Amino acid sequence: MGFADWLPYLCKLSLFYVDFLEELNEPQRQAATSVEGPVMIIAGAGSGKTRVLTYRIAYLVKQGIDPFHILSLTFTNKAAREMKERIASVIGPSEAKNLWMGTFHSVFARILRSESDRLGYPSNFSIYDTDDAKSLIRTIINEMGLDDKIYKPNTVYNRISNAKNALITAHAYRQSTEFISDDEQASRPRLFEIYQTYTERCFKAGAMDFDDLLLKTYELFARFPEVLYKYQNRFQFILVDEFQDTNFAQYAIIRQLAALYQNICVVGDDAQSIYAFRGANIQNILDFEKDYPELQTFKLEQNYRSTQTIVDAANHLIAKNKAQLPKKVWTANPSGERIKVYRALTDNEEGQFVANQIFELQMNLQKEHSDFAILYRTNAQSRALEEALRKQNIPYRIYGGLSFYQRKEIKDILAYFRVVINPQDEEAIKRIINYPARGIGKVSLDKLLVAANDQNVSLWEVMGNPAGFGASVGSGIQRKIQEFRLGLERFRQVATKANAFELAQELAKHSGLLKELYADKSPEGVSRYENVLELLNGIKEFCDQVEAGTIDRTPTLSSFMEDVALLTDADETDDDQRPKVSLMTVHASKGLEFPVVFIVGLEDTLFPSQMSMSTRAELEEERRLFYVAITRAMERLTISFAETRYRWGQLVHNEPSQFISELDQDLIDLIKPAYDPMSQIQGPSDPFRKKLSRQFSIPEHSKLRSTNQAKAAPGKPGLGASEIRPGMLVRHHRFGKGKVLNIEGKGPDKSATILFEGGEKRLLLKFARLEEGGNGE
DNA sequence: ATGTAGAGGGTTTTT
DNA sequence: CCCTCTACAT
């Protein structure tokens, strides 16, 4: 680096020293500078937590601590990256480079890769995602001849996952009277055997699932004190962000690592704990005080993010929860607008309302589209919102849902990569052995798998010599297996030298996968093809970055793959830089803030979710979730609910969420829909209904409407199946305008072939909900 | 072995 | 509703 390169950094550095103390309020300053010993920072929403963490690390470095000795655990990789950038701008990029920052899973995966031999794992072990794990569990359940109605792969997976997050190994599970008796009561007495077999099969495949990354790390440190000692000395200062969302296993590992130096700083907010469903435990916060009697606790209570109204509303709501640490979040910000509460008639109408609001506010308040966020409880709710935004030509981006790396075509090609890197990876082989089709069907695969189990060798080994391991496949098939295996074997040779991009490109071609996708000219097929090309581009970018020294890695495929399995939805980048409205689940919105926020779908059984209404603890978690959603808003907050919405393709009626009635009624304004066919809107009578009905003038005493709700919705009349004729111009909510070409079938199975702009579709009329439309064509 | 129709099941939330 | 798995035909 020349002097000119250093100049901006020197300027920033001096600025930092000048501004540093003045930029922080008193508790923030103390939290940032009390760097010795155990520290807990309870950081209310919007209280400048990230700033404190950044300055704390900068302060440590300024005190002469080598960044090499600092470990910072964050909730997403993106959070880690952003914080690293901020720190780099303060202490300089070369220093910041040595900081270890990342998610629990990615940091521990790195440790496990370098220490894997001690646990008998290869250093290039595969990471099974949830689908891989469930697929293996399904296989085992079938092999054991168990009924998958009773042993549901999902349930079994969750059970095993819970056990692992509580650091219960398969062996310990068997001894645990609690787990065993629970299973017996659920008439799943053989669950522990599945767990046992699952563990063995993962080991044989050189694979770890997400939970193993924690469990095995704990095991590694517990069994090898010298390894633990090494990392204790490496990480003399440990910071944990989002501490309220750590589970028992994560906390146990932190405790191991911090045992020697005790320089452990955790930051969290019990009011924002929203991951209990995956084992996160508020108890960790309470235990922390017991485990570290010397603990210094700091509370950050001043909110810099939101208006007075929003802060008050959030406080008022969360006060309904029993289990919480005492704190008082306050703000010096102006009171701002009242919170809007909107009752929509349908989910689609709710979407229209939000889209219209964004359109208007964007004009009136001179906002960018990126200033808006729409938050919902479940991913499935995004559909109606997307549609409405598209109609208004509002650019948006969806976070989460089916992420890029979860798409079938991407997982397929990644499976090829995985086998090249680790040929023992059984789930990856199963995925690609007959894709693209090469004549190795289910029957042959089963024979190979049975042999692999009987002989206790890997699938890959059996494929090398099926007859030798007692798999009686025909000679033709055997040749095909051989060919497939040799092809991969050859790539394994190349892999040791070639860079990731060349290798990946060759693999995509050679496997026939690109050709297969290219042949499919349907819109979906084209997009699948493009996705694979995009992945290859991503790999190219990775190689370029390594070459340029931007990231400190080797340009190998396995190096690329190390990151991929642990990417989170929030980590995905968007090349298109146009400002966009953000759509995401409330969970995904954690840690973010937006000037204008819409929280949609505040309905009973949706938010709070049906699944979480049976116990007080679950309901409190839902309430915290709502609290998180509210506190994302800086200036303007709108909450909405719909009277009816499509769920599982059926129109269902919903009651407003109890959380709406829990809001401080003095802080909200109720908005009516522009059109208001009140006579159609009816509902049962209850106290809350009474209140709402006063505000909305809903008749209190009236029967629940049963059918034909769609008619109450605005828009063109729906067409009945009998009214559809060939040649008619129609409109479909999803595919847009189209022309009916042909009618087939009769009665309930009557279907129509319709030419839409996006191509021909055949639709069952009882589902299609066609409207009259396409005038003027 | 492979393709297709029809049944069945699924929606919390995610590393 | 939509996707995946299963059963049957080819």
Side-chain angles (χ1 to χ4, degrees), chain A residues 369-497:
Chain A
H369 282 127
S370 50
D371 291 333
F372 296 85
I374 309 174
L375 310 181
Y376 36 79
R377 178 66 240 268
T378 67
N379 282 308
Q381 287 167 258
S382 71
R383 207 215 74 236
L385 297 160
E386 282 180 77
E387 226 171 275
L389 291 169
R390 263 202 303 269
K391 269 189 197 149
Q392 290 268 27
N393 277 325
I394 297 172
Y396 63 89
R397 179 173 174 208
I398 297 194
Y399 293 77
L402 199 55
S403 81
F404 184 73
Y405 288 98
Q406 287 174 321
R407 290 176 195 184
K408 183 188 175 305
E409 64 275 17
I410 297 302
K411 290 191 72 166
D412 288 335
I413 190 158
L414 291 180
Y416 275 94
F417 298 170
R418 278 164 58 181
V419 177
V420 166
I421 292 164
N422 169 22
Q424 315 302 114
D425 187 330
E426 188 175 299
E427 291 307 309
I429 294 180
K430 273 155 70 179
R431 208 180 165 93
I432 60 171
I433 192 166
N434 200 29
Y435 184 80
R438 54 175 67 85
I440 309 170
K442 192 179 177 312
V443 177
S444 309
L445 176 60
D446 278 347
K447 284 180 188 165
L448 296 175
L449 281 170
V450 167
N453 279 337
D454 289 350
Q455 308 288 318
N456 197 27
V457 290
S458 71
L459 180 56
W460 176 255
E461 279 176 86
V462 176
M463 285 164 60
N465 181 10
F469 288 104
S472 56
V473 291
S475 63
I477 307 272
Q478 192 153 335
R479 210 185 54 242
K480 287 169 181 162
I481 295 172
Q482 210 55 251
E483 203 178 309
F484 174 63
R485 192 177 187 275
L486 278 173
L488 288 165
E489 192 71 74
R490 216 164 38 91
F491 272 105
R492 281 176 54 70
Q493 299 298 326
V494 183
T496 51
K497 295 159 232 144

Side-chain angles (χ1 to χ4, degrees), chain A residues 64-114:
Chain A
I65 308 295
D66 189 339
F68 188 82
H69 289 307
I70 302 173
L71 169 66
S72 173
L73 295 164
T74 55
F75 198 70
T76 62
N77 294 302
K78 189 179 168 213
R81 210 163 37 235
E82 282 173 1
M83 196 181 294
K84 207 163 181 173
E85 273 165 27
R86 288 176 74 156
I87 293 168
S89 75
V90 176
I91 64 171
S94 57
E95 289 269 50
K97 216 173 175 178
N98 286 332
L99 287 165
W100 258 39
M101 285 193 139
T103 60
F104 279 90
H105 291 265
S106 64
V107 167
F108 296 161
R110 252 175 99 178
I111 292 177
L112 284 169
R113 286 199 193 281
S114 63

Side-chain angles (χ1 to χ4, degrees), chain A residues 83 86 131 194 259 265 324 361 461 498 500 519 538 542 566-567 572 625 695 773:
Chain A
M83 196 181 294
R86 288 176 74 156
D131 286 343
I194 303 175
C265 170
Q324 56 180 327
L361 289 172
E461 279 176 86
F542 171 79
L566 298 171
L567 285 181
E572 277 179 46
L625 197 54
Q695 308 252 20

Side-chain angles (χ1 to χ4, degrees), chain A residues 108-146:
Chain A
F108 296 161
R110 252 175 99 178
I111 292 177
L112 284 169
R113 286 199 193 281
S114 63
E115 310 292 338
S116 58
D117 51 331
R118 297 190 190 254
L119 297 172
Y121 269 87
S123 72
N124 57 11
F125 61 81
S126 299
I127 296 176
Y128 276 179
D129 68 12
T130 312
D131 286 343
D132 295 319
K134 284 180 186 167
S135 152
L136 177 54
I137 287 169
R138 191 174 298 117
T139 307
I140 293 168
I141 289 168
N142 290 337
E143 283 171 4
M144 288 172 65
L146 298 171

Side-chain angles (χ1 to χ4, degrees), chain A residues 201-496:
Chain A
R201 288 283 272 277
C202 285
F203 184 74
K204 201 171 79 176
M208 296 198 195
D209 65 21
F210 288 139
D211 304 313
D212 284 331
L213 296 176
L214 307 178
L215 179 64
K216 303 283 179 200
T217 302
Y218 179 82
E219 213 178 299
L220 175 77
F221 290 155
R223 277 176 54 197
F224 304 97
E226 70 280 16
V227 177
L228 175 60
Y229 187 68
K230 179 168 108 189
Y231 287 98
Q232 284 173 332
N233 278 298
R234 166 84 208 247
F235 303 126
Q236 295 175 13
F237 292 86
I238 301 171
L239 290 97
V240 183
D241 196 6
E242 309 284 8
F243 184 61
Q244 76 280 354
D245 289 325
T246 54
N247 61 36
F248 180 74
Q250 291 168 325
Y251 180 48
I253 299 168
I254 297 166
R255 224 165 39 193
Q256 287 176 316
L257 281 173
L260 190 55
Y261 288 89
Q262 306 254 326
N263 293 322
I264 166 87
C265 170
V266 301
V267 187
D269 179 5
D270 57 304
Q272 296 184 62
S273 164
I274 55 176
Y275 283 96
F277 71 91
R278 82 174 195 220
N281 197 345
I282 314 192
Q283 196 60 37
N284 285 348
I285 290 191
L286 307 172
D287 286 347
F288 200 68
E289 290 180 301
K290 277 182 235 144
D291 290 344
Y292 297 92
E294 326 265 275
L295 183 69
Q296 288 178 274
T297 302
F298 302 102
K299 284 184 186 170
L300 309 183
E301 295 176 305
Q302 181 175 1
N303 175 306
Y304 292 95
R305 176 186 295 155
S306 312
T307 63
Q308 186 84 56
T309 303
I310 291 167
V311 170
D312 287 350
N315 284 342
H316 185 267
L317 176 89
I318 203 66
K320 305 256 189 289
N321 273 8
K322 269 188 191 149
Q324 56 180 327
L325 297 177
K327 75 175 117 26
K328 177 91 193 94
V329 178
W330 60 280
T331 187
N333 289 341
S335 63
E337 288 179 62
R338 299 222 289 186
I339 294 164
K340 315 282 180 289
V341 175
Y342 179 74
R343 173 181 58 78
L345 301 174
T346 66
D347 48 355
N348 289 324
E349 200 256 318
E350 180 182 51
Q352 284 167 29
F353 166 77
V354 172
N356 287 337
Q357 287 281 304
I358 291 176
F359 184 80
E360 280 171 27
L361 289 172
Q362 193 247 123
M363 304 288 267
N364 297 343
L365 305 178
Q366 297 291 304
K367 295 279 183 203
E368 295 271 24
H369 282 127
S370 50
D371 291 333
F372 296 85
I374 309 174
L375 310 181
Y376 36 79
R377 178 66 240 268
T378 67
N379 282 308
Q381 287 167 258
S382 71
R383 207 215 74 236
L385 297 160
E386 282 180 77
E387 226 171 275
L389 291 169
R390 263 202 303 269
K391 269 189 197 149
Q392 290 268 27
N393 277 325
I394 297 172
Y396 63 89
R397 179 173 174 208
I398 297 194
Y399 293 77
L402 199 55
S403 81
F404 184 73
Y405 288 98
Q406 287 174 321
R407 290 176 195 184
K408 183 188 175 305
E409 64 275 17
I410 297 302
K411 290 191 72 166
D412 288 335
I413 190 158
L414 291 180
Y416 275 94
F417 298 170
R418 278 164 58 181
V419 177
V420 166
I421 292 164
N422 169 22
Q424 315 302 114
D425 187 330
E426 188 175 299
E427 291 307 309
I429 294 180
K430 273 155 70 179
R431 208 180 165 93
I432 60 171
I433 192 166
N434 200 29
Y435 184 80
R438 54 175 67 85
I440 309 170
K442 192 179 177 312
V443 177
S444 309
L445 176 60
D446 278 347
K447 284 180 188 165
L448 296 175
L449 281 170
V450 167
N453 279 337
D454 289 350
Q455 308 288 318
N456 197 27
V457 290
S458 71
L459 180 56
W460 176 255
E461 279 176 86
V462 176
M463 285 164 60
N465 181 10
F469 288 104
S472 56
V473 291
S475 63
I477 307 272
Q478 192 153 335
R479 210 185 54 242
K480 287 169 181 162
I481 295 172
Q482 210 55 251
E483 203 178 309
F484 174 63
R485 192 177 187 275
L486 278 173
L488 288 165
E489 192 71 74
R490 216 164 38 91
F491 272 105
R492 281 176 54 70
Q493 299 298 326
V494 183
T496 51

